Amino acid sequence: MASPTLQPTVDVRRASDRFATDISWLRSRHSFSFSEHFDPNNTHHGLLLVNNDDVVTAGQGFETHPHQDMEIVTWVLRGSLVHQDSMGHSGVIYPGLAQRMSAGTGILHSEKNDAYRLQGAESNHEPVHFIQMWVVPDESRIKPGYEQLELPDEMLRGKLTTVASGMERDADATAIRIKNKYAALHVARLNENDTVQIPDAPFTHLFVARGSVDLEEAGQLSEGDAVRLTATGGQRIRALSPEAEVLIWEMHATVKGW
């Protein structure tokens, strides 16, 4: 981790400019270098290495695959996602249920849009739309772990709510815990003209998950747009659409050597 001398910047990244993976069962938009998409100048912002906007068709998904030394947070916007891992955890993730998986020394897991099979149904036509985010842990080779937490709509409506955090100040907050004491994820569901404020931190990452908003110093942002803020905070976000949802990472360190 490192906290160099920083120059204030507000860097807008439009949805249409993101790396894209489009195959028969998956539409994925990558904010940073991911898989075969690599740009040495776009590997992370602060502690955030992955911010994937994924849509998976019914009955499909990611087969069992490994992860190591990463804190993985999943936030579903529509539909449901079935998680299974080599530690024996399994469950269905849906809107309002935050999930954290600590890969640590190594873990295998799968993620599929097949919850209907668990319910005894023969088919389902609804895709699942979710955001998956990866941040580096404080320490490598930690014991793998898993946590999920349901946050009712009233907790998220009209205000910025901490959904995942490793920061000491959030020890008593209703949030899943990540293994990085310099990072926190906040979510807000906004009605038209609702406002929230960007946290003041060396690094923040705003992602518009749904609808459209206006950000001071940046203007209008649409679904899928992102803003990387460095050494600046306090800007107001105002919802421009009846249903808007924003995800904001607050980070007080960055990754050195990536």
Side-chain angles (χ1 to χ4, degrees):
M1 311 292 173
S3 297
T5 301
L6 303 171
Q7 296 298 319
T9 59
V10 178
D11 181 7
V12 177
R13 303 290 180 112
R14 298 295 178 185
S16 57
D17 296 330
R18 304 170 76 198
F19 296 125
T21 297
D22 285 299
I23 55 179
S24 61
W25 59 272
L26 171 68
R27 188 214 73 181
S28 185
R29 300 293 181 266
H30 317 293
S31 292
F32 305 100
S33 294
F34 189 81
S35 188
E36 72 270 17
H37 304 288
F38 181 73
D39 176 355
N41 297 312
N42 184 26
T43 58
H44 70 288
H45 179 66
L47 300 166
L48 184 64
L49 275 65
V50 169
N51 186 86
N52 286 350
D53 183 354
D54 292 342
V55 177
V56 174
T57 59
Q60 302 293 324
F62 300 94
E63 298 292 344
T64 302
H65 58 282
H67 288 291
Q68 183 175 319
D69 287 333
M70 201 62 61
E71 295 293 292
I72 300 173
V73 177
T74 302
W75 185 252
V76 174
L77 300 170
R78 178 167 58 99
S80 61
L81 189 68
V82 177
H83 166 95
Q84 293 181 310
D85 66 42
S86 55
M87 297 287 289
H89 305 112
S90 63
V92 180
I93 315 167
Y94 47 83
L97 184 76
Q99 182 213 56
R100 180 266 301 170
M101 186 178 74
S102 297
T105 54
I107 195 168
L108 299 170
H109 82 138
S110 64
E111 298 162 300
K112 294 185 178 182
N113 180 8
D114 61 356
Y116 64 92
R117 291 174 178 154
L118 301 178
Q119 299 160 357
E122 293 184 0
S123 65
N124 169 46
H125 301 290
E126 184 180 18
V128 59
H129 183 190
F130 62 99
I131 312 300
Q132 189 164 94
M133 300 152 281
W134 301 7
V135 296
V136 292
D138 284 325
E139 302 176 34
S140 60
R141 311 301 292 173
I142 64 174
K143 181 180 178 181
Y146 180 90
E147 184 182 6
Q148 64 182 43
L149 177 69
E150 186 165 12
L151 297 109
D153 183 74
E154 56 266 26
M155 284 186 64
L156 305 165
R157 183 66 56 182
K159 56 184 177 293
L160 210 58
T161 299
T162 304
V163 166
S165 179
M167 298 176 67
E168 185 176 348
R169 65 154 200 233
D170 297 324
D172 296 327
T174 303
I176 53 176
R177 301 297 297 173
I178 57 173
K179 304 299 193 292
N180 192 304
K181 60 180 176 289
Y182 300 105
L185 170 66
H186 312 285
V187 176
R189 291 177 180 163
L190 305 173
N191 299 320
E192 190 170 4
N193 290 319
D194 283 350
T195 63
V196 292
Q197 191 170 358
I198 295 279
D200 191 4
F203 304 94
T204 50
H205 183 272
L206 162 66
F207 183 73
V208 183
R210 197 194 318 268
S212 60
V213 302
D214 178 83
L215 174 65
E216 287 179 331
E217 300 184 23
Q220 182 170 339
L221 304 169
S222 300
E223 186 171 313
D225 289 348
V227 184
R228 304 175 189 186
L229 299 101
T230 304
T232 182
Q235 296 91 341
R236 303 295 294 182
I237 302 168
R238 180 173 63 88
L240 299 176
S241 57
E243 285 286 337
E245 188 164 337
V246 295
L247 283 65
I248 301 175
W249 278 97
E250 172 191 355
M251 298 167 286
H252 293 267
T254 187
V255 182
K256 188 177 182 180
W258 285 75

